């Protein structure tokens, strides 16, 4: 495997296998420098963890080998990454993501996260999830303590 199409076809094959084994139709492959670092499938069906998405699992497992920064890595996903997985990609520095099925394709099957993307595009005060900010002055000291410890390394 040495190109986007090959890696993406592997992610689709992982999704196919996962469906045959009782899981959801999502697979992902994380690649760095032309090497497959890790593959994963959606594992929600195994332990009811709603965050056990294929992309997030590739990030978790790759980080055990490469550290918390995944700069230079590419994630190939069978379906369009949900906002949670996309945010995780940003947080860990994934350089690129390639996906096979867009939300529009998944919509008739109940497999689209477009509604969540729409919610996140709204100001917090307009989102369906009630978010309340209660400022905590003590957090300044906590952040300063973290910064001092982090800068020392």
């Amino acid at each position: 495997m040495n190109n986007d199409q090959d890696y993406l076809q592997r992610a689709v094959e992982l999704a196919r296998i996962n469906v045959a084994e009782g899981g959801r139709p999502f697979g992902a492959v994380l690649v760095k420098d032309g090497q497959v670092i890790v593959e994963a499938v959606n594992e929600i069906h195994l332990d009811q963890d709603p965050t056990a998405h294929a992309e997030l699992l590739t990030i978790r497992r790759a980080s055990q080998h490469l550290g918390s920064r995944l700069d230079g890595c590419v994630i190939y996903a069978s379906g369009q990454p949900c906002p949670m997985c996309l945010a995780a990609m940003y947080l860990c520095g994934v350089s690129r993501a390639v996906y096979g099925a867009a939300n529009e394709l998944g919509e008739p099957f109940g497999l689209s996260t477009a509604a969540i993307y729409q919610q996140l595009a709204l100001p917090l005060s307009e989102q369906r999830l009630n978010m309340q900010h209660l400022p905590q002055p003590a957090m300044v000291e906590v952040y300063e303590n973290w910064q001092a410890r982090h800068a020392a390394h």
Side-chain angles (χ1 to χ4, degrees):
M1 289 194 283
N2 58 9
N3 65 46
D4 288 347
Q5 194 63 251
D6 290 340
Y7 296 125
L8 191 53
Q9 286 177 357
R10 177 60 183 156
V12 170
E13 181 60 21
L14 290 168
R16 180 180 289 116
I17 292 167
N18 203 39
V19 168
E21 294 177 354
R24 294 171 59 87
F26 300 106
V29 178
L30 188 140
V31 176
K32 182 170 186 174
D33 299 328
Q35 295 282 349
V36 172
I37 304 299
V38 67
E39 298 179 338
V41 295
N42 183 295
E43 295 182 3
I44 292 173
H45 66 293
L46 297 180
D47 60 10
Q48 305 307 306
D49 176 356
T51 69
H53 291 197
E55 302 93 331
L56 205 54
L57 294 174
T58 64
I59 289 170
R60 289 175 184 162
R61 293 169 185 163
S63 294
Q64 293 172 351
H65 302 287
L66 302 174
S68 62
R69 294 296 307 167
L70 298 179
D71 301 289
C73 292
V74 180
I75 290 184
Y76 295 88
S78 60
Q80 183 172 345
C82 75
M84 173 184 67
C85 293
L86 182 59
M89 291 179 204
Y90 276 107
L91 286 169
C92 70
V94 165
S95 298
R96 195 162 63 98
V98 180
Y99 63 93
N103 273 324
E104 294 79 13
L105 181 64
E107 183 69 37
F109 303 97
L111 297 170
S112 172
T113 57
I116 300 170
Y117 274 105
Q118 291 169 349
Q119 282 294 305
L120 293 175
L122 298 172
L124 282 178
S125 62
E126 296 177 25
Q127 291 181 21
R128 200 171 59 236
L129 180 63
N130 182 359
M131 295 281 292
Q132 184 177 6
H133 176 210
L134 295 175
Q136 298 296 304
M139 285 305 298
V140 173
E141 182 182 340
V142 173
Y143 283 176
E144 288 172 345
N145 188 10
W146 175 84
Q147 185 179 42
R149 290 172 183 268
H150 185 68
H153 292 108

